[in-house]
Structure formats: C-alpha cells, structure tokens
C-alpha cells in the first residue's frame, strides 16, 4: 500500500537520494520499522500533477501513525440465538429514570 502527499504550494520538502544511495531505485527501502517502511520514490514537479517527475527522492517530513491491533474475542455461544434477547423501544425515554426498574417495562417511567 502507498499514499501520495501533495500541497498546492512549493513548501513540500524532499531530497535526492542519488549520492547517499547510488544503487537505489524507486521502491528501494529507505527506512523502516516493524510496522512501516518508507521507500525511495519520485517527486512531482507540478501542481496539479502533470508529467514532470523526478526519481530517487525521499520525503523530508514527519509521519505520525498508529497501529491497530484487534482485540481477542471471547468464546462464541455454543448455541447462538436467532433473535435479540430483548427488543428495543420504539422511542427513547424523554429523560432518564430517577429509579430504573430491574426488568424492562412496556412504557417509560417519564421521571
């Protein structure tokens, strides 16, 4: 996967990697971690993007990211139910009950 970063000004900072890594080509890893790899890429010479491209470029900026690691789910039910355990009310209560009931009721208390 990849992404494209653009500005509509000339403030984008990048540098040519040709001297530091003469054998590098577009796609060569420049820096990486266990979660992310930044590769040598290209810069675009025009905004909006046209046909002016310059190879062996590395973006000179900061990338803030997070890694999503899904939670472990609990064991599923041995026999799943076909319907929800209780049906939702058609309309919500206008205000919360001061003393909620222990079991569902057919009408909201209104106080």
């Amino acid at each position: 996967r990849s992404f494209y970063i653009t500005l509509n000004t000339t403030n984008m900072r990048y540098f040519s990697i040709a001297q530091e890594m003469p054998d590098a080509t577009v796609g060569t890893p420049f820096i990486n971690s266990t979660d992310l790899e930044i590769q040598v890429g290209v810069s675009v010479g025009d905004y909006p993007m046209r046909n002016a491209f310059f190879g062996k470029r590395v973006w000179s900026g900061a990338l803030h990211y997070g890694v999503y690691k899904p939670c472990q789910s609990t064991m599923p039910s041995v026999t799943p139910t076909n319907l929800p355990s209780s049906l939702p009310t058609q309309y919500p209560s206008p205000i919360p009950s001061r003393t909620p009931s222990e079991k569902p009721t057919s009408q909201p208390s209104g106080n």
Side-chain angles (χ1 to χ4, degrees), residues 14-18 25-28 30 38-44 53-60:
Y14 60 89
F15 60 95
S16 172
I17 198 71
T25 59
V26 172
T28 299
F30 175 69
I38 304 293
Q39 299 176 348
V40 174
V42 297
S43 66
V44 179
F53 298 96
F54 305 97
K56 291 189 175 184
R57 300 295 194 262
V58 176
W59 177 52
S60 183

Side-chain angles (χ1 to χ4, degrees), residues 30-110:
F30 175 69
I31 193 167
N32 61 10
S33 70
T34 56
D35 303 310
L36 184 69
E37 178 177 88
I38 304 293
Q39 299 176 348
V40 174
V42 297
S43 66
V44 179
D46 296 318
Y47 179 85
M49 187 167 47
R50 293 192 190 101
N51 291 325
F53 298 96
F54 305 97
K56 291 189 175 184
R57 300 295 194 262
V58 176
W59 177 52
S60 183
L63 179 64
H64 299 270
Y65 69 97
V67 177
Y68 171 75
K69 294 186 180 184
C71 307
Q72 295 295 324
S73 64
T74 57
M75 215 43 179
S77 302
V78 177
T79 308
T81 59
N82 291 325
L83 297 173
S85 52
S86 64
L87 297 174
T89 59
Q90 187 174 0
Y91 302 102
S93 300
I95 56 173
S97 301
R98 288 188 192 141
T99 53
S101 59
E102 292 183 24
K103 295 183 180 180
T105 60
S106 60
Q107 297 294 320
S109 64

